[in-house]
Amino acid sequence: MKKSVLIIDDDQDLREVMCSALELEGYEVHSFENPLTALEALAKWHNQNEPGLILVDFNMPQMNGFSFVEAIMNHHPSLHKIPLAICSADEALPSMQNWPQGVIHIGKPMELDHFVKTVREFCG
């Protein structure tokens, strides 16, 4: 079975690049422009082909990356085991010491080789 990755980013061009890079590596990729839609989809999947990694942009109009992570932690306890990565070029991100345990940061702009390597570390 293919490993699955969920990407949430309001930048369509970047989302398409990330999806293409991971699909070429053999990953099944689900992408969303809106974090609220992604949360709805995750709630419906409930242990059926859950993603091996969730990548979420920090700055989005509907909900920022931390709010998305908090929503998962508070409302979807079955998803706590899925690794989460917040992607951002924002220099004003809160200190990682204040991040929920296990959440990682992937900087933007991202080098695709490093991005794919990071996904491999979490998804196999």
Side-chain angles (χ1 to χ4, degrees):
M1 183 189 322
K2 286 184 178 181
K3 293 287 186 173
S4 178
V5 178
L6 185 107
I7 296 173
I8 306 141
D9 198 309
D10 59 334
D11 182 329
Q12 181 178 349
D13 292 337
L14 180 57
R15 203 172 56 247
E16 289 175 3
V17 168
M18 290 189 290
C19 289
S20 295
L22 294 178
E23 287 168 349
L24 285 171
E25 293 290 319
Y27 291 94
E28 179 180 332
V29 183
H30 304 273
S31 68
F32 295 89
E33 177 179 8
N34 180 324
L36 300 174
T37 306
L39 284 171
E40 290 172 12
L42 281 166
K44 291 176 186 172
W45 284 340
H46 190 65
N47 293 325
Q48 294 180 335
N49 197 27
E50 289 176 346
L53 177 65
I54 298 172
L55 298 153
V56 60
D57 184 23
F58 179 73
N59 287 316
M60 291 181 286
Q62 303 85 1
M63 171 186 281
N64 75 30
F66 284 133
S67 296
F68 180 86
V69 170
E70 287 175 353
I72 287 179
M73 300 294 184
N74 293 330
H75 303 293
H76 301 288
S78 66
L79 302 176
H80 287 197
K81 65 186 178 288
I82 300 172
L84 293 154
I86 293 179
C87 304
S88 178
D90 193 340
E91 297 290 328
L93 277 176
S95 166
M96 288 183 75
Q97 294 173 323
N98 300 325
W99 290 25
Q101 185 175 359
V103 176
I104 65 164
H105 176 252
I106 297 177
K108 289 181 181 178
M110 58 184 70
E111 182 182 305
L112 277 180
D113 289 340
H114 176 70
F115 169 71
V116 171
K117 181 182 175 193
T118 301
V119 171
R120 259 192 239 122
E121 287 176 20
F122 288 92
C123 286

